[in-house]
């Protein structure tokens, strides 16, 4: 059984995609040093989280059945340190949390004297000034068509009756996440990794992750290809408009590669000169007040903080003009649309080229099958005809032969 489990349960948009890809790509190196990141595919922990919480997710829930138990078994079978990481785990209920911890070998109160596993909870957190626009954009990248203004209304509804508001606070209300996941853990085994403010050293967040996961002493390859890039204002507006007219006609298995990956991540995210999404100026007071209350509560609980809780307050109201994603500059949206159309045309051309290649291979296979079923004499005649047709004298001889055959043939 694993002596120690590092359980990273969120939150979204805190560098989790990069962290998980580093862990996945370095599995052999980690294992040689006694650390297991059990995953046979890059989204293995995502599927396990879906299974644990019985979440529906565009048809993937069927593929996820049994994934949590398999993951937990791999953790129990490893003699050393194991790491589990996925941000949607943040929204697990107390019952689901209890099941998860028990399946990993946790004992009540975190007791390890009778062979129980030492579970450490890790939560990466970022200020709401950045998280609120980022969460709306994630909704848009997952087929949503509602406006940013409507999103702000839904997350400020005190009843949280709408699924959007319920989900947002489920994965973003930091004190509540820690209360659910850390209720049966000593506070010194609960670790908060704060995302540093914008403009700091680019590797600072990774250094904080390394400290929390005890990875700084390990030799790891930190170059990855997977990421969850952000979009600017006109690009987000364009994607929302596409969703409103096309999302219902595109099943998830087509929406993911065409819209989210090809358009959002591979094309529109490259347009970095557009205005960035931001919080409306009139929203800063309540966001700052909420963050201040969270900082006071988390300080009192005595968790281990990697970074600075003050990072949770977020930036002050910026001096630059705020650009409303619900009323974006139309010329910029049109320019983004041209880039999107170009990407779709190029992708379609690649698909057609591949289809032509496959059709040619299929035709070649059909001819081979016909040859295999043709008697030797006919194959010999076919070979002779093909050779004759390859030269002018041969074609002339064939023509004479066919003319003679025509004259000598009896009428039907």
């Amino acid at each position: 059984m694993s002596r120690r489990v590092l359980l990273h349960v969120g939150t979204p948009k805190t560098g989790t995609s990069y962290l998980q890809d580093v862990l996945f790509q370095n599995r052999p190196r980690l294992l040689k040093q006694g650390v297991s990141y059990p995953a046979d595919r890059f989204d293995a922990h995502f599927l396990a989280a879906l299974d644990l919480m019985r979440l529906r997710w565009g048809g993937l829930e069927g593929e996820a059945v049994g994934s949590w138990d398999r993951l937990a078994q791999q953790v129990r079978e490893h003699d050393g340190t194991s790491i589990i990481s996925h941000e949607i785990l943040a929204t697990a209920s107390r019952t689901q949390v209890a099941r998860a911890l028990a399946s990993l070998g946790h004992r009540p109160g975190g007791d390890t004297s009778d062979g129980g596993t030492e579970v450490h909870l890790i939560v990466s957190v970022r200020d709401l000034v950045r998280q609120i626009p980022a969460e709306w954009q994630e909704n848009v990248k997952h087929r949503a068509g509602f406006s940013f203004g409507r999103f702000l209304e839904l997350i400020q509804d005190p009843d949280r009756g709408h699924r959007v508001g319920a989900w947002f606070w489920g994965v973003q209300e930091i004190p509540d996440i820690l209360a659910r996941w850390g209720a049966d853990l000593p506070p010194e085994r609960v670790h908060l990794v704060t995302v540093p403010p914008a403009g700091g050293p680019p590797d600072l967040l990774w250094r904080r992750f390394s400290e929390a996961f005890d990875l700084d002493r390990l030799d790891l390859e930190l170059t990855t290809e997977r990421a969850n890039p952000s979009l600017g204002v006109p690009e987000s507006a364009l994607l929302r408009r596409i969703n409103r007219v096309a999302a219902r006609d595109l099943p998830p298995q087509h929406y993911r590669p065409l819209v989210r990956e090809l358009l959002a991540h591979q094309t529109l995210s490259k347009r970095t000169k557009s205005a960035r999404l931001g919080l409306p100026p009139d929203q800063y007071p309540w966001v700052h007040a909420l963050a201040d209350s969270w900082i006071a509560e988390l300080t009192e609980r005595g968790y281990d903080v990697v970074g600075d809780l003050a990072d949770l307050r977020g930036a002050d109201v910026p001096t630059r003009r705020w650009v409303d994603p619900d009323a974006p500059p139309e010329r910029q949206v049109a320019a983004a649309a041209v880039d999107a159309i170009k990407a779709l045309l190029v992708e379609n051309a690649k698909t057609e080229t591949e289809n032509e290649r496959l059709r040619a291979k299929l035709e070649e296979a059909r001819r081979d099958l016909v040859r295999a079923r043709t008697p030797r004499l006919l194959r010999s005649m076919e070979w002779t005809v093909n050779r004759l047709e390859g030269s002018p004298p041969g074609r002339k001889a064939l023509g004479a032969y066919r003319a003679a055959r025509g004259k000598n043939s009896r009428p039907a």
Side-chain angles (χ1 to χ4, degrees):
M1 181 174 288
S2 286
R3 295 189 297 272
R4 188 172 63 142
V5 174
L6 306 178
L7 182 57
H8 179 221
V9 303
T11 59
K13 302 301 292 182
T14 57
T16 54
S17 295
Y18 177 75
L19 168 70
Q20 290 151 12
D21 202 37
V22 168
L23 293 172
F24 182 76
Q25 298 296 338
N26 283 276
R27 286 170 297 154
R29 295 189 184 196
L30 289 167
L31 201 55
K32 287 179 181 179
Q33 299 171 88
V35 179
S36 171
Y37 183 71
D40 57 355
R41 47 189 281 183
F42 76 89
D43 59 351
H45 293 199
F46 169 61
L47 294 177
L50 291 183
D51 181 45
L52 173 71
M53 297 183 290
R54 299 293 190 264
L55 289 178
R56 297 180 61 185
W57 204 284
L60 288 175
E61 61 274 7
E63 191 176 348
V65 173
S67 295
W68 179 266
D69 288 337
R70 289 193 294 272
L71 177 62
Q73 181 178 355
Q74 289 177 283
V75 169
R76 293 194 304 270
E77 290 175 350
H78 176 68
D79 183 20
T81 296
S82 293
I83 297 175
I84 296 175
S85 173
H86 206 275
E87 55 274 18
I88 69 169
L89 286 167
T91 194
S93 68
R94 290 180 182 270
T95 300
Q96 293 162 349
V97 167
R99 180 198 163 200
L101 293 177
S103 69
L104 299 174
H106 172 74
R107 299 288 188 270
D111 183 23
T112 59
S113 60
D114 62 346
T117 301
E118 182 180 305
V119 176
H120 288 252
L121 181 71
I122 299 175
V123 182
S124 48
V125 296
R126 188 169 74 153
D127 60 273
L128 289 176
V129 170
R130 290 180 289 179
Q131 290 292 70
I132 290 174
E135 278 286 351
W136 174 71
Q137 187 178 104
E138 282 303 303
N139 275 271
V140 172
K141 288 196 287 187
H142 286 81
R143 308 170 71 93
F146 48 77
S147 68
F148 189 35
R150 176 58 176 159
F151 178 74
L152 292 171
E153 291 176 1
L154 292 173
I155 66 172
Q156 292 179 75
D157 177 8
D159 294 332
R160 301 182 185 178
H162 195 280
R163 61 173 181 80
V164 171
W167 174 266
F168 176 82
W169 294 113
V171 296
Q172 295 295 342
E173 193 167 20
I174 299 166
D176 183 57
I177 295 169
L178 292 164
R180 281 183 278 116
W181 276 100
D184 198 38
L185 293 172
E188 63 271 17
R189 293 192 204 161
V190 178
H191 313 276
L192 272 72
V193 179
T194 65
V195 176
D203 65 339
L204 180 55
L205 178 57
W206 173 252
R207 296 206 306 265
R208 292 181 179 181
F209 273 132
S210 295
E211 180 181 342
F213 286 91
D214 198 20
L215 298 175
D216 46 2
R217 60 184 174 81
L218 306 183
D219 178 27
L220 301 178
E221 174 56 57
L222 301 181
T223 302
T224 72
E225 296 181 357
R226 289 189 68 240
N228 188 8
S230 298
L231 307 180
V233 170
E235 293 78 21
S236 301
L238 172 65
L239 200 62
R240 183 172 78 90
R241 294 176 187 181
I242 290 172
N243 289 344
R244 291 177 66 86
V245 299
R248 291 184 179 180
D249 299 324
L250 283 173
Q253 65 268 28
H254 298 313
Y255 182 93
R256 281 192 296 271
L258 285 175
V259 181
R260 195 171 74 215
E261 296 304 323
L262 175 62
L263 292 189
H265 290 170
Q266 298 172 26
T267 304
L268 297 178
S269 69
K270 302 296 192 297
R271 297 173 51 85
T272 57
K273 294 183 180 180
S274 302
R276 298 293 93 185
L277 277 175
L279 198 65
D282 62 351
Q283 301 293 316
Y284 277 76
W286 77 268
V287 167
H288 282 157
L290 181 58
D292 289 340
S293 69
W294 286 1
I295 292 169
E297 185 173 352
L298 297 174
T299 300
E300 186 176 345
R301 292 187 190 180
Y303 299 133
D304 174 52
V305 177
V306 183
D308 190 340
L309 283 179
D311 294 339
L312 285 177
R313 196 171 194 280
D316 293 329
V317 180
T319 56
R320 66 180 183 277
R321 184 177 70 88
W322 177 69
V323 182
D324 186 353
D326 297 338
E330 291 300 331
R331 292 182 63 180
Q332 294 180 21
V333 176
V338 170
D339 286 346
I341 292 170
K342 175 186 174 183
L344 290 172
L345 291 174
V346 171
E347 182 68 16
N348 186 70
K350 290 179 181 178
T351 301
E352 283 302 309
T353 299
E354 178 64 9
N355 287 342
E356 290 170 5
R357 186 186 70 82
L358 293 175
R359 281 194 292 267
K361 288 186 69 68
L362 184 62
E363 177 60 23
E364 182 181 352
R366 186 193 67 78
R367 289 196 300 266
D368 289 343
L369 182 61
V370 170
R371 289 193 192 96
R373 292 177 176 175
T374 303
R376 180 177 299 175
L377 177 60
L378 290 180
R379 291 202 299 271
S380 176
M381 292 172 63
E382 181 185 48
W383 179 85
T384 301
V385 169
N386 288 336
R387 286 291 301 274
L388 290 171
E389 286 182 336
S391 65
R395 286 193 294 273
K396 185 175 182 180
L398 276 175
Y401 169 76
R402 288 166 177 159
R405 283 291 304 270
K407 290 178 181 178
N408 294 332
S409 297
R410 296 179 180 179

